[in-house]
Structure formats: structure tokens, C-alpha cells
Amino acid sequence: MDFGGRLGGSRRGAGANVDEFGRERRDRGHGRKPYDRPHGRGRGRGGLGGASSHAARVPAHVDEAKDISSRVASLIIKLGEVNSPALVNNLDALSVVLEKDFVKHETTVLQTIRQCVLEMPWKVTVYATLAGLLNAKNSATGQKIVRLMHAVLGRALAEGRWTEAKVVLRFFA
């Protein structure tokens, strides 16, 4: 038996366009593996594109601020995804991060906590604990969170959204 063509032997000719499994090789125009391609929208690895690049249109500090706020929001949203002993560590770590960045990203943090409490009621105790930790570190931060949730409760009661009011009451309990 001659396995030279199929197992990468030196046989050339008919088996030259066949990979080690006997399949025909696909023609890749760029000649690189998918992980060798440049990242981004054709800007290359450095991200320094021409006039059409995103970085040329938006100042770096604005783009960086959006990136940081989206990361903070993502951390808050993902908190409590898995109920494990690491939850305590995650709560402590996130409270430290939020304590430092609360002044810069106050609206993002408040709106994210509000949305998480209302849209993920099964994690309301986690967010209440986070608010308590933030309150213990800085009472002004805790006060802003409690005032926001109090306003949400008042609006829900005034407009007759009873399920929302019940969830916010669980936050306070």
C-alpha cells in the first residue's frame, strides 16, 4: 500500500492538492490561516487605519470612556451568573472597582443597576448586597443607589406596575 500522498509523503502530482486526510485543499486567496488575518476592519494589528478608520473619526478619550463604561456595565450585569463561593470574592472585587470609578461613571452604574434589578429579578439579592457593600465603603454612593431605587418604586406604584414594584421591594428587603 502506498500512503505517501495521503500521509504527507513526497509524492507529487495528483495528490498535491490533497491534505493529510485525503480532502482537496480549498483555495484561500489570502494564503493565511484565519488567526493570521489582521484584526479589526482592515486596519491591521496596530489599529492605525486611514481616514476611514473609527479611530480617526472619534477622539481617543471619548472612545476610551465608552469602552470603560461598557466594561463596568458588563461587570455589573455578569455579577452572580454562577452561584458559587467565588460570588463573595466577585462582589468584593466589583465593589472596590465601583467605589473607585463611581464618580466618573455614575450614570452608567446607576442605570445598569436599575436595569439589572428590573430585568433580572432572580439576581436582585446580589445587587442589593452590592449596594450594601458600596454603602459601607462610601455612604454617598449607597445613598444615590437607594434614592434611585426609591424613585423607581414610586413610579412603579403610581403607574400600577405591580410586578416591578414587588421586585424593587425585594431589593429593599
Side-chain angles (χ1 to χ4, degrees), residues 37-91:
R37 293 183 199 150
H39 300 286
R41 297 182 201 148
R43 293 180 288 183
R45 286 191 184 264
L48 301 173
S52 66
S53 76
H54 181 67
R57 288 181 274 147
V58 178
H61 67 281
V62 172
D63 197 30
E64 183 179 322
K66 280 185 180 179
D67 186 42
I68 291 172
S69 352
S70 68
R71 285 183 188 175
V72 167
S74 176
L75 287 172
I76 294 170
I77 291 168
K78 291 179 182 178
L79 182 66
E81 288 287 319
V82 178
N83 194 6
S84 67
L87 178 62
V88 174
N89 295 334
N90 292 343
L91 274 167

Short mmCIF file of all heavy atoms in Angstrom, two decimals, residues 37-91:
data_model
loop_
_atom_site.label_atom_id
_atom_site.label_comp_id
_atom_site.label_asym_id
_atom_site.label_seq_id
_atom_site.Cartn_x
_atom_site.Cartn_y
_atom_site.Cartn_z
N ARG A 37 -5.03 36.51 10.13
CA ARG A 37 -5.60 37.69 9.49
C ARG A 37 -5.50 38.89 10.42
O ARG A 37 -5.56 38.75 11.63
CB ARG A 37 -7.06 37.45 9.15
CG ARG A 37 -7.24 36.41 8.09
CD ARG A 37 -8.69 36.28 7.75
NE ARG A 37 -8.89 35.01 7.09
CZ ARG A 37 -9.99 34.32 7.14
NH1 ARG A 37 -11.03 34.77 7.81
NH2 ARG A 37 -10.10 33.18 6.50
N PRO A 38 -5.44 40.08 9.86
CA PRO A 38 -5.42 41.27 10.72
C PRO A 38 -6.74 41.43 11.44
O PRO A 38 -7.79 41.04 10.94
CB PRO A 38 -5.18 42.42 9.74
CG PRO A 38 -5.28 41.86 8.38
CD PRO A 38 -5.28 40.37 8.47
N HIS A 39 -6.67 42.00 12.63
CA HIS A 39 -7.86 42.22 13.44
C HIS A 39 -8.50 43.54 13.06
O HIS A 39 -7.86 44.44 12.55
CB HIS A 39 -7.49 42.24 14.92
CG HIS A 39 -6.86 40.96 15.37
ND1 HIS A 39 -7.59 39.83 15.55
CD2 HIS A 39 -5.58 40.64 15.64
CE1 HIS A 39 -6.79 38.85 15.92
NE2 HIS A 39 -5.56 39.33 15.99
N GLY A 40 -9.75 43.67 13.37
CA GLY A 40 -10.46 44.92 13.12
C GLY A 40 -11.01 44.98 11.72
O GLY A 40 -11.12 43.98 11.01
N ARG A 41 -11.34 46.15 11.27
CA ARG A 41 -11.95 46.34 9.96
C ARG A 41 -10.90 46.70 8.92
O ARG A 41 -10.90 47.79 8.36
CB ARG A 41 -12.99 47.45 10.04
CG ARG A 41 -14.11 47.11 10.94
CD ARG A 41 -15.12 48.22 10.92
NE ARG A 41 -15.91 48.14 12.14
CZ ARG A 41 -16.42 49.16 12.75
NH1 ARG A 41 -16.26 50.36 12.28
NH2 ARG A 41 -17.11 49.00 13.85
N GLY A 42 -9.96 45.81 8.72
CA GLY A 42 -8.97 46.05 7.69
C GLY A 42 -7.92 47.07 8.10
O GLY A 42 -7.24 47.61 7.26
N ARG A 43 -7.78 47.34 9.37
CA ARG A 43 -6.84 48.36 9.81
C ARG A 43 -5.48 47.76 10.17
O ARG A 43 -4.57 48.49 10.47
CB ARG A 43 -7.39 49.10 11.02
CG ARG A 43 -8.61 49.91 10.69
CD ARG A 43 -9.07 50.59 11.91
NE ARG A 43 -9.66 49.59 12.80
CZ ARG A 43 -10.21 49.86 13.95
NH1 ARG A 43 -10.24 51.09 14.38
NH2 ARG A 43 -10.74 48.93 14.69
N GLY A 44 -5.37 46.46 10.20
CA GLY A 44 -4.12 45.86 10.62
C GLY A 44 -4.08 45.68 12.12
O GLY A 44 -4.98 46.09 12.84
N ARG A 45 -3.03 45.09 12.61
CA ARG A 45 -2.94 44.81 14.04
C ARG A 45 -2.81 46.07 14.88
O ARG A 45 -3.28 46.12 15.99
CB ARG A 45 -1.77 43.88 14.33
CG ARG A 45 -2.06 42.48 13.90
CD ARG A 45 -1.00 41.57 14.45
NE ARG A 45 -1.24 40.24 13.96
CZ ARG A 45 -1.89 39.31 14.62
NH1 ARG A 45 -2.34 39.57 15.81
NH2 ARG A 45 -2.08 38.12 14.12
N GLY A 46 -2.17 47.07 14.38
CA GLY A 46 -1.95 48.28 15.17
C GLY A 46 -3.19 49.14 15.30
O GLY A 46 -3.24 50.01 16.15
N GLY A 47 -4.17 48.92 14.45
CA GLY A 47 -5.38 49.71 14.54
C GLY A 47 -5.23 51.10 13.96
O GLY A 47 -6.10 51.94 14.12
N LEU A 48 -4.12 51.37 13.27
CA LEU A 48 -3.91 52.68 12.70
C LEU A 48 -4.30 52.63 11.24
O LEU A 48 -3.53 52.26 10.38
CB LEU A 48 -2.45 53.11 12.84
CG LEU A 48 -1.93 53.16 14.26
CD1 LEU A 48 -0.43 53.43 14.26
CD2 LEU A 48 -2.67 54.21 15.06
N GLY A 49 -5.51 52.98 10.96
CA GLY A 49 -6.01 52.91 9.60
C GLY A 49 -5.92 54.26 8.92
O GLY A 49 -5.37 55.21 9.43
N GLY A 50 -6.51 54.32 7.75
CA GLY A 50 -6.53 55.56 7.00
C GLY A 50 -7.62 56.48 7.54
O GLY A 50 -8.04 56.39 8.67
N ALA A 51 -8.09 57.35 6.69
CA ALA A 51 -9.10 58.32 7.11
C ALA A 51 -10.44 57.66 7.41
O ALA A 51 -11.26 58.24 8.10
CB ALA A 51 -9.28 59.36 6.02
N SER A 52 -10.65 56.45 6.91
CA SER A 52 -11.94 55.80 7.14
C SER A 52 -12.00 55.02 8.44
O SER A 52 -13.02 54.45 8.77
CB SER A 52 -12.23 54.84 5.98
OG SER A 52 -11.29 53.79 6.00
N SER A 53 -10.90 54.97 9.18
CA SER A 53 -10.91 54.18 10.41
C SER A 53 -11.73 54.86 11.50
O SER A 53 -11.89 56.07 11.51
CB SER A 53 -9.49 53.92 10.90
OG SER A 53 -8.99 55.08 11.50
N HIS A 54 -12.24 54.07 12.41
CA HIS A 54 -13.06 54.57 13.52
C HIS A 54 -12.24 55.49 14.42
O HIS A 54 -12.75 56.48 14.92
CB HIS A 54 -13.60 53.38 14.32
CG HIS A 54 -14.47 53.77 15.47
ND1 HIS A 54 -15.68 54.38 15.30
CD2 HIS A 54 -14.27 53.65 16.80
CE1 HIS A 54 -16.22 54.61 16.48
NE2 HIS A 54 -15.38 54.18 17.40
N ALA A 55 -10.97 55.18 14.60
CA ALA A 55 -10.13 55.98 15.48
C ALA A 55 -9.93 57.40 14.93
O ALA A 55 -9.73 58.33 15.69
CB ALA A 55 -8.77 55.30 15.68
N ALA A 56 -9.99 57.55 13.61
CA ALA A 56 -9.80 58.87 13.03
C ALA A 56 -11.04 59.73 13.22
O ALA A 56 -10.96 60.95 13.22
CB ALA A 56 -9.46 58.74 11.55
N ARG A 57 -12.22 59.11 13.36
CA ARG A 57 -13.46 59.87 13.48
C ARG A 57 -13.79 60.23 14.92
O ARG A 57 -14.40 61.24 15.18
CB ARG A 57 -14.61 59.08 12.90
CG ARG A 57 -14.55 59.01 11.39
CD ARG A 57 -15.71 58.23 10.86
NE ARG A 57 -15.32 56.83 10.90
CZ ARG A 57 -16.14 55.83 11.13
NH1 ARG A 57 -17.39 56.04 11.34
NH2 ARG A 57 -15.71 54.59 11.14
N VAL A 58 -13.43 59.38 15.88
CA VAL A 58 -13.79 59.60 17.28
C VAL A 58 -12.53 59.86 18.08
O VAL A 58 -11.56 59.11 17.96
CB VAL A 58 -14.51 58.33 17.84
CG1 VAL A 58 -14.85 58.53 19.29
CG2 VAL A 58 -15.75 58.04 17.03
N PRO A 59 -12.51 60.92 18.88
CA PRO A 59 -11.33 61.16 19.70
C PRO A 59 -11.05 59.99 20.63
O PRO A 59 -11.97 59.32 21.09
CB PRO A 59 -11.69 62.41 20.50
CG PRO A 59 -12.80 63.06 19.74
CD PRO A 59 -13.51 61.95 19.02
N ALA A 60 -9.79 59.76 20.92
CA ALA A 60 -9.39 58.59 21.71
C ALA A 60 -9.99 58.61 23.11
O ALA A 60 -10.40 57.57 23.62
CB ALA A 60 -7.87 58.52 21.80
N HIS A 61 -10.09 59.79 23.74
CA HIS A 61 -10.60 59.83 25.11
C HIS A 61 -12.09 59.51 25.16
O HIS A 61 -12.56 58.93 26.13
CB HIS A 61 -10.30 61.18 25.75
CG HIS A 61 -11.03 62.34 25.14
ND1 HIS A 61 -10.64 62.91 23.96
CD2 HIS A 61 -12.15 62.99 25.54
CE1 HIS A 61 -11.47 63.89 23.65
NE2 HIS A 61 -12.40 63.96 24.59
N VAL A 62 -12.83 59.85 24.13
CA VAL A 62 -14.27 59.53 24.09
C VAL A 62 -14.46 58.04 23.90
O VAL A 62 -15.27 57.41 24.57
CB VAL A 62 -14.97 60.33 22.96
CG1 VAL A 62 -16.40 59.86 22.78
CG2 VAL A 62 -14.91 61.81 23.25
N ASP A 63 -13.69 57.47 22.98
CA ASP A 63 -13.78 56.03 22.71
C ASP A 63 -13.35 55.24 23.95
O ASP A 63 -13.96 54.24 24.28
CB ASP A 63 -12.90 55.68 21.51
CG ASP A 63 -13.23 54.33 20.92
OD1 ASP A 63 -14.41 53.94 21.00
OD2 ASP A 63 -12.32 53.68 20.38
N GLU A 64 -12.32 55.70 24.64
CA GLU A 64 -11.85 55.02 25.85
C GLU A 64 -12.88 55.10 26.97
O GLU A 64 -13.11 54.13 27.68
CB GLU A 64 -10.53 55.64 26.30
CG GLU A 64 -9.91 54.95 27.49
CD GLU A 64 -8.59 55.58 27.88
OE1 GLU A 64 -7.83 55.96 26.99
OE2 GLU A 64 -8.35 55.67 29.09
N ALA A 65 -13.53 56.24 27.11
CA ALA A 65 -14.55 56.40 28.14
C ALA A 65 -15.73 55.47 27.88
O ALA A 65 -16.27 54.86 28.81
CB ALA A 65 -15.02 57.84 28.21
N LYS A 66 -16.14 55.35 26.62
CA LYS A 66 -17.23 54.43 26.27
C LYS A 66 -16.83 53.00 26.57
O LYS A 66 -17.63 52.21 27.06
CB LYS A 66 -17.59 54.55 24.78
CG LYS A 66 -18.46 55.71 24.45
CD LYS A 66 -18.84 55.64 22.99
CE LYS A 66 -19.74 56.79 22.61
NZ LYS A 66 -20.09 56.73 21.19
N ASP A 67 -15.58 52.67 26.26
CA ASP A 67 -15.08 51.32 26.50
C ASP A 67 -15.08 51.00 27.99
O ASP A 67 -15.52 49.92 28.39
CB ASP A 67 -13.67 51.18 25.92
CG ASP A 67 -13.15 49.77 25.99
OD1 ASP A 67 -13.93 48.84 25.71
OD2 ASP A 67 -11.96 49.59 26.33
N ILE A 68 -14.64 51.93 28.81
CA ILE A 68 -14.59 51.70 30.25
C ILE A 68 -16.01 51.57 30.80
O ILE A 68 -16.30 50.70 31.60
CB ILE A 68 -13.80 52.81 30.96
CG1 ILE A 68 -12.32 52.68 30.59
CG2 ILE A 68 -13.96 52.74 32.46
CD1 ILE A 68 -11.46 53.82 31.07
N SER A 69 -16.92 52.47 30.35
CA SER A 69 -18.30 52.36 30.85
C SER A 69 -18.95 51.06 30.43
O SER A 69 -19.71 50.49 31.19
CB SER A 69 -19.20 53.47 30.42
OG SER A 69 -18.66 54.49 29.79
N SER A 70 -18.67 50.60 29.22
CA SER A 70 -19.26 49.33 28.80
C SER A 70 -18.66 48.17 29.59
O SER A 70 -19.36 47.20 29.90
CB SER A 70 -19.07 49.11 27.30
OG SER A 70 -17.73 48.92 26.98
N ARG A 71 -17.40 48.26 29.95
CA ARG A 71 -16.79 47.20 30.78
C ARG A 71 -17.38 47.19 32.18
O ARG A 71 -17.66 46.13 32.74
CB ARG A 71 -15.28 47.40 30.87
CG ARG A 71 -14.55 47.01 29.63
CD ARG A 71 -13.07 47.16 29.81
NE ARG A 71 -12.39 46.95 28.55
CZ ARG A 71 -11.11 47.12 28.38
NH1 ARG A 71 -10.35 47.52 29.38
NH2 ARG A 71 -10.56 46.92 27.22
N VAL A 72 -17.59 48.38 32.75
CA VAL A 72 -18.20 48.48 34.08
C VAL A 72 -19.61 47.90 34.04
O VAL A 72 -20.00 47.10 34.90
CB VAL A 72 -18.20 49.94 34.58
CG1 VAL A 72 -19.09 50.11 35.78
CG2 VAL A 72 -16.78 50.38 34.90
N ALA A 73 -20.38 48.27 33.01
CA ALA A 73 -21.74 47.75 32.87
C ALA A 73 -21.72 46.23 32.70
O ALA A 73 -22.53 45.52 33.30
CB ALA A 73 -22.43 48.40 31.68
N SER A 74 -20.77 45.74 31.93
CA SER A 74 -20.67 44.29 31.72
C SER A 74 -20.34 43.56 33.02
O SER A 74 -20.90 42.49 33.29
CB SER A 74 -19.60 44.00 30.67
OG SER A 74 -19.41 42.63 30.51
N LEU A 75 -19.46 44.13 33.82
CA LEU A 75 -19.13 43.51 35.11
C LEU A 75 -20.35 43.46 36.03
O LEU A 75 -20.58 42.45 36.71
CB LEU A 75 -18.01 44.29 35.80
CG LEU A 75 -16.61 44.13 35.22
CD1 LEU A 75 -15.65 45.11 35.89
CD2 LEU A 75 -16.12 42.71 35.38
N ILE A 76 -21.12 44.53 36.04
CA ILE A 76 -22.32 44.56 36.89
C ILE A 76 -23.33 43.54 36.41
O ILE A 76 -23.93 42.82 37.20
CB ILE A 76 -22.92 45.98 36.92
CG1 ILE A 76 -21.96 46.95 37.60
CG2 ILE A 76 -24.26 45.98 37.64
CD1 ILE A 76 -22.35 48.40 37.46
N ILE A 77 -23.54 43.46 35.10
CA ILE A 77 -24.53 42.55 34.54
C ILE A 77 -24.14 41.10 34.80
O ILE A 77 -24.98 40.27 35.16
CB ILE A 77 -24.71 42.81 33.04
CG1 ILE A 77 -25.38 44.16 32.83
CG2 ILE A 77 -25.52 41.70 32.38
CD1 ILE A 77 -25.36 44.65 31.40
N LYS A 78 -22.87 40.77 34.63
CA LYS A 78 -22.42 39.38 34.78
C LYS A 78 -22.30 38.94 36.23
O LYS A 78 -22.12 37.74 36.50
CB LYS A 78 -21.09 39.19 34.07
CG LYS A 78 -21.21 39.27 32.57
CD LYS A 78 -19.88 39.10 31.91
CE LYS A 78 -20.03 39.23 30.40
NZ LYS A 78 -18.73 39.13 29.74
N LEU A 79 -22.41 39.86 37.16
CA LEU A 79 -22.29 39.52 38.57
C LEU A 79 -23.38 38.54 38.96
O LEU A 79 -24.55 38.73 38.66
CB LEU A 79 -22.41 40.79 39.42
CG LEU A 79 -22.25 40.62 40.92
CD1 LEU A 79 -20.83 40.18 41.24
CD2 LEU A 79 -22.57 41.91 41.63
N GLY A 80 -23.00 37.46 39.61
CA GLY A 80 -23.97 36.48 40.08
C GLY A 80 -24.44 35.51 39.03
O GLY A 80 -25.43 34.82 39.23
N GLU A 81 -23.75 35.42 37.90
CA GLU A 81 -24.15 34.48 36.85
C GLU A 81 -24.09 33.04 37.37
O GLU A 81 -24.97 32.26 37.11
CB GLU A 81 -23.24 34.61 35.63
CG GLU A 81 -23.46 35.88 34.84
CD GLU A 81 -24.75 35.87 34.06
OE1 GLU A 81 -25.09 34.84 33.48
OE2 GLU A 81 -25.41 36.91 34.03
N VAL A 82 -23.04 32.71 38.07
CA VAL A 82 -22.88 31.37 38.60
C VAL A 82 -22.89 31.48 40.13
O VAL A 82 -22.12 32.23 40.71
CB VAL A 82 -21.55 30.73 38.13
CG1 VAL A 82 -21.36 29.37 38.71
CG2 VAL A 82 -21.49 30.69 36.62
N ASN A 83 -23.77 30.73 40.76
CA ASN A 83 -23.85 30.75 42.22
C ASN A 83 -22.76 29.85 42.77
O ASN A 83 -22.86 28.64 42.75
CB ASN A 83 -25.23 30.29 42.67
CG ASN A 83 -25.47 30.61 44.13
OD1 ASN A 83 -24.66 31.26 44.77
ND2 ASN A 83 -26.59 30.15 44.64
N SER A 84 -21.71 30.46 43.23
CA SER A 84 -20.56 29.69 43.70
C SER A 84 -19.89 30.46 44.85
O SER A 84 -20.22 31.60 45.12
CB SER A 84 -19.56 29.48 42.56
OG SER A 84 -18.99 30.71 42.18
N PRO A 85 -18.93 29.81 45.51
CA PRO A 85 -18.20 30.52 46.57
C PRO A 85 -17.44 31.73 46.03
O PRO A 85 -17.11 32.64 46.79
CB PRO A 85 -17.22 29.47 47.09
CG PRO A 85 -17.79 28.16 46.69
CD PRO A 85 -18.57 28.41 45.44
N ALA A 86 -17.17 31.77 44.74
CA ALA A 86 -16.46 32.91 44.16
C ALA A 86 -17.33 34.16 44.11
O ALA A 86 -16.82 35.25 43.88
CB ALA A 86 -15.98 32.56 42.75
N LEU A 87 -18.63 34.02 44.34
CA LEU A 87 -19.53 35.16 44.31
C LEU A 87 -19.14 36.20 45.35
O LEU A 87 -19.16 37.40 45.08
CB LEU A 87 -20.98 34.71 44.53
CG LEU A 87 -22.03 35.80 44.57
CD1 LEU A 87 -22.08 36.54 43.25
CD2 LEU A 87 -23.38 35.21 44.90
N VAL A 88 -18.73 35.76 46.52
CA VAL A 88 -18.32 36.69 47.58
C VAL A 88 -17.10 37.48 47.12
O VAL A 88 -17.04 38.71 47.29
CB VAL A 88 -18.03 35.93 48.89
CG1 VAL A 88 -17.48 36.86 49.94
CG2 VAL A 88 -19.28 35.24 49.38
N ASN A 89 -16.14 36.79 46.54
CA ASN A 89 -14.93 37.47 46.04
C ASN A 89 -15.27 38.42 44.91
O ASN A 89 -14.73 39.52 44.83
CB ASN A 89 -13.89 36.45 45.57
CG ASN A 89 -13.38 35.59 46.71
OD1 ASN A 89 -13.40 36.00 47.87
ND2 ASN A 89 -12.94 34.39 46.39
N ASN A 90 -16.16 37.98 44.02
CA ASN A 90 -16.56 38.84 42.91
C ASN A 90 -17.27 40.09 43.41
O ASN A 90 -17.06 41.19 42.88
CB ASN A 90 -17.47 38.09 41.94
CG ASN A 90 -16.74 37.00 41.20
OD1 ASN A 90 -15.51 36.97 41.15
ND2 ASN A 90 -17.49 36.08 40.62
N LEU A 91 -18.14 39.94 44.41
CA LEU A 91 -18.83 41.09 44.98
C LEU A 91 -17.84 42.07 45.61
O LEU A 91 -17.94 43.29 45.40
CB LEU A 91 -19.84 40.64 46.04
CG LEU A 91 -21.21 40.24 45.54
CD1 LEU A 91 -21.98 39.52 46.62
CD2 LEU A 91 -21.97 41.45 45.06
#
